[in-house]
Short mmCIF file of all heavy atoms in Angstrom, two decimals:
data_model
loop_
_atom_site.label_atom_id
_atom_site.label_comp_id
_atom_site.label_asym_id
_atom_site.label_seq_id
_atom_site.Cartn_x
_atom_site.Cartn_y
_atom_site.Cartn_z
N GLU G 17 0.52 -2.97 3.02
CA GLU G 17 -0.24 -3.15 4.26
C GLU G 17 0.17 -2.12 5.31
O GLU G 17 -0.68 -1.62 6.04
CB GLU G 17 -0.07 -4.57 4.81
CG GLU G 17 -0.80 -5.62 4.00
CD GLU G 17 -2.30 -5.39 3.89
OE1 GLU G 17 -2.97 -5.12 4.92
OE2 GLU G 17 -2.83 -5.47 2.77
N ASP G 18 1.47 -1.80 5.39
CA ASP G 18 1.93 -0.76 6.33
C ASP G 18 1.23 0.56 6.05
O ASP G 18 0.78 1.24 6.98
CB ASP G 18 3.45 -0.54 6.22
CG ASP G 18 4.27 -1.71 6.70
OD1 ASP G 18 3.79 -2.51 7.54
OD2 ASP G 18 5.43 -1.84 6.23
N LEU G 19 1.16 0.93 4.78
CA LEU G 19 0.53 2.20 4.40
C LEU G 19 -0.96 2.20 4.71
O LEU G 19 -1.51 3.21 5.16
CB LEU G 19 0.76 2.49 2.92
CG LEU G 19 2.21 2.69 2.48
CD1 LEU G 19 2.28 2.90 0.97
CD2 LEU G 19 2.84 3.86 3.21
N ILE G 20 -1.60 1.07 4.48
CA ILE G 20 -3.04 0.95 4.76
C ILE G 20 -3.29 1.09 6.26
O ILE G 20 -4.16 1.86 6.69
CB ILE G 20 -3.59 -0.38 4.21
CG1 ILE G 20 -3.60 -0.32 2.68
CG2 ILE G 20 -4.98 -0.67 4.76
CD1 ILE G 20 -3.86 -1.66 2.00
N VAL G 21 -2.52 0.37 7.07
CA VAL G 21 -2.68 0.44 8.52
C VAL G 21 -2.40 1.85 9.02
O VAL G 21 -3.14 2.40 9.85
CB VAL G 21 -1.77 -0.59 9.22
CG1 VAL G 21 -1.72 -0.37 10.72
CG2 VAL G 21 -2.24 -2.01 8.90
N GLU G 22 -1.35 2.46 8.51
CA GLU G 22 -0.95 3.82 8.90
C GLU G 22 -2.06 4.83 8.63
O GLU G 22 -2.22 5.80 9.36
CB GLU G 22 0.31 4.21 8.14
CG GLU G 22 0.91 5.54 8.49
CD GLU G 22 2.13 5.84 7.63
OE1 GLU G 22 3.12 5.09 7.74
OE2 GLU G 22 2.09 6.81 6.85
N SER G 23 -2.85 4.60 7.58
CA SER G 23 -3.92 5.53 7.22
C SER G 23 -5.03 5.55 8.27
O SER G 23 -5.72 6.56 8.42
CB SER G 23 -4.51 5.18 5.86
OG SER G 23 -5.40 4.07 5.95
N GLY G 24 -5.24 4.43 8.94
CA GLY G 24 -6.32 4.33 9.93
C GLY G 24 -7.69 4.13 9.31
O GLY G 24 -8.69 4.09 10.03
N LEU G 25 -7.75 4.01 7.99
CA LEU G 25 -9.02 3.83 7.30
C LEU G 25 -9.40 2.35 7.23
O LEU G 25 -8.53 1.49 7.12
CB LEU G 25 -8.95 4.40 5.89
CG LEU G 25 -8.72 5.89 5.76
CD1 LEU G 25 -8.45 6.26 4.31
CD2 LEU G 25 -9.92 6.67 6.30
N LYS G 26 -10.70 2.09 7.25
CA LYS G 26 -11.18 0.72 7.08
C LYS G 26 -11.03 0.33 5.61
O LYS G 26 -11.12 1.17 4.71
CB LYS G 26 -12.64 0.60 7.50
CG LYS G 26 -12.82 0.80 8.98
CD LYS G 26 -14.24 0.52 9.38
CE LYS G 26 -14.34 0.68 10.88
NZ LYS G 26 -15.44 -0.06 11.44
N LEU G 27 -10.81 -0.94 5.38
CA LEU G 27 -10.60 -1.44 4.01
C LEU G 27 -11.78 -1.13 3.10
O LEU G 27 -11.59 -0.77 1.94
CB LEU G 27 -10.33 -2.94 4.05
CG LEU G 27 -9.09 -3.37 4.85
CD1 LEU G 27 -9.01 -4.88 4.93
CD2 LEU G 27 -7.83 -2.78 4.27
N GLU G 28 -12.98 -1.27 3.62
CA GLU G 28 -14.18 -0.98 2.83
C GLU G 28 -14.21 0.48 2.40
O GLU G 28 -14.62 0.80 1.28
CB GLU G 28 -15.45 -1.31 3.63
CG GLU G 28 -15.62 -2.77 3.94
CD GLU G 28 -14.91 -3.21 5.23
OE1 GLU G 28 -14.16 -2.41 5.84
OE2 GLU G 28 -15.09 -4.37 5.61
N VAL G 29 -13.80 1.38 3.29
CA VAL G 29 -13.78 2.81 2.99
C VAL G 29 -12.76 3.10 1.89
O VAL G 29 -13.04 3.85 0.95
CB VAL G 29 -13.48 3.63 4.27
CG1 VAL G 29 -13.23 5.09 3.94
CG2 VAL G 29 -14.60 3.47 5.29
N ILE G 30 -11.58 2.49 2.00
CA ILE G 30 -10.54 2.71 1.00
C ILE G 30 -11.04 2.24 -0.37
O ILE G 30 -10.93 2.97 -1.36
CB ILE G 30 -9.23 1.99 1.38
CG1 ILE G 30 -8.65 2.59 2.68
CG2 ILE G 30 -8.21 2.08 0.25
CD1 ILE G 30 -7.51 1.79 3.27
N ALA G 31 -11.58 1.04 -0.42
CA ALA G 31 -12.08 0.49 -1.70
C ALA G 31 -13.14 1.41 -2.29
O ALA G 31 -13.10 1.73 -3.49
CB ALA G 31 -12.65 -0.91 -1.48
N ASN G 32 -14.07 1.85 -1.47
CA ASN G 32 -15.14 2.74 -1.94
C ASN G 32 -14.57 4.04 -2.48
O ASN G 32 -14.98 4.50 -3.54
CB ASN G 32 -16.11 3.00 -0.78
CG ASN G 32 -17.34 3.75 -1.20
OD1 ASN G 32 -17.65 3.84 -2.38
ND2 ASN G 32 -18.04 4.32 -0.24
N ARG G 33 -13.61 4.62 -1.78
CA ARG G 33 -13.06 5.91 -2.19
C ARG G 33 -12.23 5.83 -3.47
O ARG G 33 -12.11 6.81 -4.20
CB ARG G 33 -12.23 6.52 -1.06
CG ARG G 33 -13.09 7.01 0.09
CD ARG G 33 -12.27 7.71 1.13
NE ARG G 33 -13.11 8.10 2.26
CZ ARG G 33 -12.64 8.63 3.37
NH1 ARG G 33 -11.34 8.87 3.51
NH2 ARG G 33 -13.45 8.95 4.34
N ILE G 34 -11.64 4.67 -3.74
CA ILE G 34 -10.88 4.55 -5.00
C ILE G 34 -11.76 4.01 -6.12
O ILE G 34 -11.30 3.88 -7.25
CB ILE G 34 -9.57 3.74 -4.86
CG1 ILE G 34 -9.81 2.32 -4.37
CG2 ILE G 34 -8.59 4.45 -3.96
CD1 ILE G 34 -8.55 1.47 -4.30
N GLY G 35 -13.01 3.67 -5.78
CA GLY G 35 -13.98 3.31 -6.81
C GLY G 35 -13.95 1.87 -7.26
O GLY G 35 -14.27 1.57 -8.41
N ILE G 36 -13.55 0.97 -6.35
CA ILE G 36 -13.55 -0.46 -6.69
C ILE G 36 -14.28 -1.23 -5.59
O ILE G 36 -14.50 -0.71 -4.50
CB ILE G 36 -12.12 -1.03 -6.87
CG1 ILE G 36 -11.30 -0.89 -5.58
CG2 ILE G 36 -11.41 -0.34 -8.04
CD1 ILE G 36 -9.93 -1.54 -5.63
N SER G 37 -14.64 -2.47 -5.89
CA SER G 37 -15.33 -3.29 -4.88
C SER G 37 -14.33 -3.73 -3.81
O SER G 37 -13.12 -3.78 -4.04
CB SER G 37 -15.95 -4.53 -5.53
OG SER G 37 -14.93 -5.45 -5.91
N TYR G 38 -14.88 -4.06 -2.65
CA TYR G 38 -14.04 -4.57 -1.56
C TYR G 38 -13.33 -5.85 -2.00
O TYR G 38 -12.15 -6.03 -1.71
CB TYR G 38 -14.88 -4.83 -0.30
CG TYR G 38 -14.09 -5.52 0.77
CD1 TYR G 38 -13.20 -4.80 1.56
CD2 TYR G 38 -14.19 -6.89 0.96
CE1 TYR G 38 -12.42 -5.45 2.52
CE2 TYR G 38 -13.43 -7.53 1.92
CZ TYR G 38 -12.56 -6.81 2.70
OH TYR G 38 -11.79 -7.43 3.64
N ASN G 39 -14.04 -6.73 -2.72
CA ASN G 39 -13.44 -8.00 -3.15
C ASN G 39 -12.25 -7.77 -4.08
O ASN G 39 -11.23 -8.45 -3.97
CB ASN G 39 -14.48 -8.90 -3.83
CG ASN G 39 -15.46 -9.47 -2.84
OD1 ASN G 39 -15.17 -9.60 -1.65
ND2 ASN G 39 -16.65 -9.80 -3.31
N TYR G 40 -12.40 -6.83 -4.99
CA TYR G 40 -11.30 -6.52 -5.91
C TYR G 40 -10.12 -5.92 -5.14
O TYR G 40 -8.96 -6.27 -5.38
CB TYR G 40 -11.78 -5.59 -7.02
CG TYR G 40 -10.73 -5.28 -8.06
CD1 TYR G 40 -10.00 -6.31 -8.67
CD2 TYR G 40 -10.46 -3.98 -8.45
CE1 TYR G 40 -9.04 -6.03 -9.63
CE2 TYR G 40 -9.50 -3.70 -9.41
CZ TYR G 40 -8.79 -4.72 -9.99
OH TYR G 40 -7.83 -4.44 -10.93
N PHE G 41 -10.43 -5.04 -4.19
CA PHE G 41 -9.37 -4.45 -3.37
C PHE G 41 -8.65 -5.53 -2.57
O PHE G 41 -7.42 -5.51 -2.45
CB PHE G 41 -9.96 -3.38 -2.44
CG PHE G 41 -8.92 -2.62 -1.65
CD1 PHE G 41 -7.82 -2.05 -2.27
CD2 PHE G 41 -9.05 -2.48 -0.29
CE1 PHE G 41 -6.86 -1.35 -1.55
CE2 PHE G 41 -8.11 -1.78 0.45
CZ PHE G 41 -7.02 -1.22 -0.18
N TYR G 42 -9.39 -6.49 -2.05
CA TYR G 42 -8.79 -7.61 -1.32
C TYR G 42 -7.80 -8.35 -2.21
O TYR G 42 -6.67 -8.64 -1.80
CB TYR G 42 -9.88 -8.57 -0.82
CG TYR G 42 -9.33 -9.79 -0.14
CD1 TYR G 42 -9.00 -9.76 1.21
CD2 TYR G 42 -9.10 -10.97 -0.85
CE1 TYR G 42 -8.47 -10.87 1.84
CE2 TYR G 42 -8.57 -12.09 -0.23
CZ TYR G 42 -8.25 -12.03 1.11
OH TYR G 42 -7.71 -13.13 1.73
N ARG G 43 -8.21 -8.64 -3.45
CA ARG G 43 -7.32 -9.35 -4.38
C ARG G 43 -6.07 -8.52 -4.69
O ARG G 43 -4.97 -9.07 -4.78
CB ARG G 43 -8.06 -9.72 -5.65
CG ARG G 43 -9.09 -10.83 -5.44
CD ARG G 43 -9.56 -11.46 -6.73
NE ARG G 43 -10.00 -10.54 -7.76
CZ ARG G 43 -11.24 -10.10 -7.92
NH1 ARG G 43 -12.19 -10.49 -7.10
NH2 ARG G 43 -11.55 -9.28 -8.90
N LEU G 44 -6.24 -7.21 -4.87
CA LEU G 44 -5.09 -6.35 -5.14
C LEU G 44 -4.13 -6.29 -3.96
O LEU G 44 -2.92 -6.19 -4.14
CB LEU G 44 -5.55 -4.94 -5.51
CG LEU G 44 -6.21 -4.80 -6.87
CD1 LEU G 44 -6.73 -3.38 -7.04
CD2 LEU G 44 -5.25 -5.16 -8.00
N ARG G 45 -4.67 -6.35 -2.75
CA ARG G 45 -3.80 -6.34 -1.56
C ARG G 45 -2.96 -7.62 -1.51
O ARG G 45 -1.83 -7.60 -1.04
CB ARG G 45 -4.63 -6.23 -0.29
CG ARG G 45 -5.16 -4.82 -0.07
CD ARG G 45 -6.06 -4.69 1.14
NE ARG G 45 -5.59 -5.44 2.29
CZ ARG G 45 -6.30 -6.36 2.93
NH1 ARG G 45 -7.52 -6.68 2.53
NH2 ARG G 45 -5.80 -6.96 3.99
N LYS G 46 -3.51 -8.71 -1.99
CA LYS G 46 -2.78 -9.99 -1.99
C LYS G 46 -1.78 -10.06 -3.13
O LYS G 46 -0.76 -10.73 -3.02
CB LYS G 46 -3.77 -11.17 -2.06
CG LYS G 46 -4.70 -11.25 -0.88
CD LYS G 46 -3.92 -11.34 0.41
CE LYS G 46 -4.80 -11.20 1.62
NZ LYS G 46 -4.05 -10.98 2.84
N GLN G 47 -2.07 -9.37 -4.24
CA GLN G 47 -1.17 -9.33 -5.40
C GLN G 47 -1.07 -7.88 -5.88
O GLN G 47 -1.56 -7.53 -6.96
CB GLN G 47 -1.70 -10.21 -6.52
CG GLN G 47 -1.69 -11.69 -6.21
CD GLN G 47 -2.16 -12.49 -7.39
OE1 GLN G 47 -3.14 -12.16 -8.04
NE2 GLN G 47 -1.44 -13.57 -7.68
N PRO G 48 -0.42 -7.02 -5.08
CA PRO G 48 -0.40 -5.59 -5.42
C PRO G 48 0.31 -5.24 -6.71
O PRO G 48 0.04 -4.19 -7.30
CB PRO G 48 0.28 -4.94 -4.22
CG PRO G 48 0.99 -6.03 -3.52
CD PRO G 48 0.27 -7.30 -3.83
N THR G 49 1.18 -6.11 -7.20
CA THR G 49 1.86 -5.81 -8.46
C THR G 49 0.90 -5.83 -9.64
O THR G 49 1.25 -5.40 -10.73
CB THR G 49 3.03 -6.78 -8.71
OG1 THR G 49 2.54 -8.12 -8.66
CG2 THR G 49 4.13 -6.60 -7.68
N LYS G 50 -0.33 -6.31 -9.44
CA LYS G 50 -1.37 -6.31 -10.49
C LYS G 50 -2.06 -4.95 -10.59
O LYS G 50 -2.86 -4.72 -11.48
CB LYS G 50 -2.41 -7.38 -10.21
CG LYS G 50 -1.86 -8.77 -10.07
CD LYS G 50 -2.03 -9.54 -11.32
CE LYS G 50 -1.58 -10.97 -11.08
NZ LYS G 50 -0.98 -11.53 -12.23
N MET G 51 -1.77 -4.04 -9.64
CA MET G 51 -2.41 -2.74 -9.63
C MET G 51 -1.83 -1.83 -10.71
O MET G 51 -0.62 -1.73 -10.83
CB MET G 51 -2.21 -2.10 -8.24
CG MET G 51 -3.11 -0.91 -7.98
SD MET G 51 -2.90 -0.22 -6.32
CE MET G 51 -3.14 -1.62 -5.27
N ASP G 52 -2.71 -1.17 -11.47
CA ASP G 52 -2.21 -0.27 -12.50
C ASP G 52 -1.87 1.10 -11.90
O ASP G 52 -2.21 1.41 -10.76
CB ASP G 52 -3.19 -0.14 -13.67
CG ASP G 52 -4.50 0.53 -13.31
OD1 ASP G 52 -4.50 1.50 -12.53
OD2 ASP G 52 -5.54 0.10 -13.83
N ALA G 53 -1.16 1.91 -12.68
CA ALA G 53 -0.64 3.19 -12.20
C ALA G 53 -1.74 4.14 -11.76
O ALA G 53 -1.61 4.83 -10.74
CB ALA G 53 0.23 3.84 -13.27
N ASP G 54 -2.84 4.20 -12.51
CA ASP G 54 -3.95 5.09 -12.13
C ASP G 54 -4.51 4.73 -10.77
O ASP G 54 -4.81 5.61 -9.96
CB ASP G 54 -5.06 5.04 -13.18
CG ASP G 54 -4.69 5.70 -14.49
OD1 ASP G 54 -3.74 6.52 -14.50
OD2 ASP G 54 -5.32 5.39 -15.51
N LEU G 55 -4.66 3.45 -10.53
CA LEU G 55 -5.19 3.00 -9.24
C LEU G 55 -4.20 3.29 -8.12
O LEU G 55 -4.60 3.64 -7.01
CB LEU G 55 -5.52 1.50 -9.31
CG LEU G 55 -6.59 1.00 -8.37
CD1 LEU G 55 -7.85 1.82 -8.44
CD2 LEU G 55 -6.90 -0.45 -8.69
N MET G 56 -2.90 3.17 -8.39
CA MET G 56 -1.88 3.50 -7.39
C MET G 56 -1.99 4.97 -6.98
O MET G 56 -1.88 5.29 -5.80
CB MET G 56 -0.48 3.23 -7.93
CG MET G 56 -0.09 1.80 -7.99
SD MET G 56 1.63 1.67 -8.55
CE MET G 56 1.62 0.07 -9.28
N VAL G 57 -2.20 5.84 -7.96
CA VAL G 57 -2.32 7.27 -7.68
C VAL G 57 -3.57 7.54 -6.85
O VAL G 57 -3.52 8.28 -5.86
CB VAL G 57 -2.33 8.09 -8.99
CG1 VAL G 57 -2.67 9.55 -8.73
CG2 VAL G 57 -0.98 7.98 -9.68
N LYS G 58 -4.69 6.93 -7.22
CA LYS G 58 -5.93 7.09 -6.44
C LYS G 58 -5.74 6.58 -5.02
O LYS G 58 -6.20 7.21 -4.06
CB LYS G 58 -7.09 6.34 -7.10
CG LYS G 58 -7.61 6.98 -8.35
CD LYS G 58 -8.77 6.15 -8.89
CE LYS G 58 -9.23 6.64 -10.24
NZ LYS G 58 -10.27 5.77 -10.81
N LEU G 59 -5.09 5.43 -4.89
CA LEU G 59 -4.86 4.85 -3.57
C LEU G 59 -4.00 5.78 -2.72
O LEU G 59 -4.29 6.00 -1.55
CB LEU G 59 -4.20 3.48 -3.70
CG LEU G 59 -3.91 2.74 -2.39
CD1 LEU G 59 -5.18 2.54 -1.58
CD2 LEU G 59 -3.24 1.40 -2.67
N ALA G 60 -2.97 6.35 -3.31
CA ALA G 60 -2.11 7.28 -2.58
C ALA G 60 -2.91 8.48 -2.08
O ALA G 60 -2.75 8.91 -0.93
CB ALA G 60 -0.96 7.74 -3.47
N GLU G 61 -3.78 9.01 -2.93
CA GLU G 61 -4.62 10.15 -2.53
C GLU G 61 -5.51 9.78 -1.35
O GLU G 61 -5.62 10.54 -0.39
CB GLU G 61 -5.46 10.62 -3.71
CG GLU G 61 -4.66 11.30 -4.80
CD GLU G 61 -5.46 11.60 -6.05
OE1 GLU G 61 -6.69 11.31 -6.08
OE2 GLU G 61 -4.86 12.11 -7.01
N VAL G 62 -6.14 8.61 -1.41
CA VAL G 62 -7.03 8.17 -0.34
C VAL G 62 -6.25 7.93 0.96
O VAL G 62 -6.71 8.30 2.04
CB VAL G 62 -7.80 6.90 -0.76
CG1 VAL G 62 -8.52 6.27 0.42
CG2 VAL G 62 -8.78 7.23 -1.87
N LEU G 63 -5.06 7.34 0.84
CA LEU G 63 -4.26 7.06 2.02
C LEU G 63 -3.57 8.30 2.57
O LEU G 63 -3.05 8.29 3.69
CB LEU G 63 -3.21 5.99 1.71
CG LEU G 63 -3.73 4.61 1.31
CD1 LEU G 63 -2.56 3.67 1.00
CD2 LEU G 63 -4.63 4.02 2.38
N GLY G 64 -3.53 9.37 1.77
CA GLY G 64 -2.91 10.61 2.21
C GLY G 64 -1.39 10.55 2.19
O GLY G 64 -0.73 11.17 3.01
N VAL G 65 -0.86 9.81 1.22
CA VAL G 65 0.60 9.69 1.08
C VAL G 65 0.99 10.01 -0.35
O VAL G 65 0.16 10.03 -1.26
CB VAL G 65 1.12 8.28 1.47
CG1 VAL G 65 0.78 7.95 2.91
CG2 VAL G 65 0.58 7.21 0.54
N ASP G 66 2.27 10.24 -0.56
CA ASP G 66 2.80 10.49 -1.89
C ASP G 66 2.70 9.21 -2.73
O ASP G 66 2.92 8.11 -2.21
CB ASP G 66 4.26 10.94 -1.78
CG ASP G 66 4.83 11.37 -3.10
OD1 ASP G 66 4.46 12.47 -3.56
OD2 ASP G 66 5.60 10.59 -3.70
N SER G 67 2.37 9.35 -4.00
CA SER G 67 2.22 8.18 -4.86
C SER G 67 3.52 7.38 -4.97
O SER G 67 3.50 6.17 -5.17
CB SER G 67 1.72 8.57 -6.25
OG SER G 67 2.55 9.53 -6.83
N GLU G 68 4.65 8.04 -4.80
CA GLU G 68 5.95 7.34 -4.82
C GLU G 68 6.05 6.32 -3.69
O GLU G 68 6.61 5.23 -3.87
CB GLU G 68 7.09 8.36 -4.74
CG GLU G 68 8.46 7.76 -4.89
CD GLU G 68 8.74 7.18 -6.28
OE1 GLU G 68 8.11 7.62 -7.25
OE2 GLU G 68 9.60 6.29 -6.37
#
Side-chain angles (χ1 to χ4, degrees):
E17 288 301 313
D18 292 334
L19 296 177
I20 290 169
V21 169
E22 184 182 297
S23 77
L25 296 171
K26 293 186 178 204
L27 300 174
E28 295 87 354
V29 171
I30 296 170
N32 187 17
R33 289 185 183 174
I34 59 177
I36 61 174
S37 71
Y38 172 79
N39 288 335
Y40 184 50
F41 185 51
Y42 176 85
R43 289 195 309 269
L44 289 174
R45 285 176 41 236
K46 298 303 171 193
Q47 293 183 316
T49 55
K50 303 260 186 215
M51 194 178 306
D52 66 39
D54 289 340
L55 206 51
M56 285 184 206
V57 171
K58 287 181 187 175
L59 181 58
E61 289 172 3
V62 168
L63 297 179
V65 300
D66 187 74
S67 56
E68 186 66 25

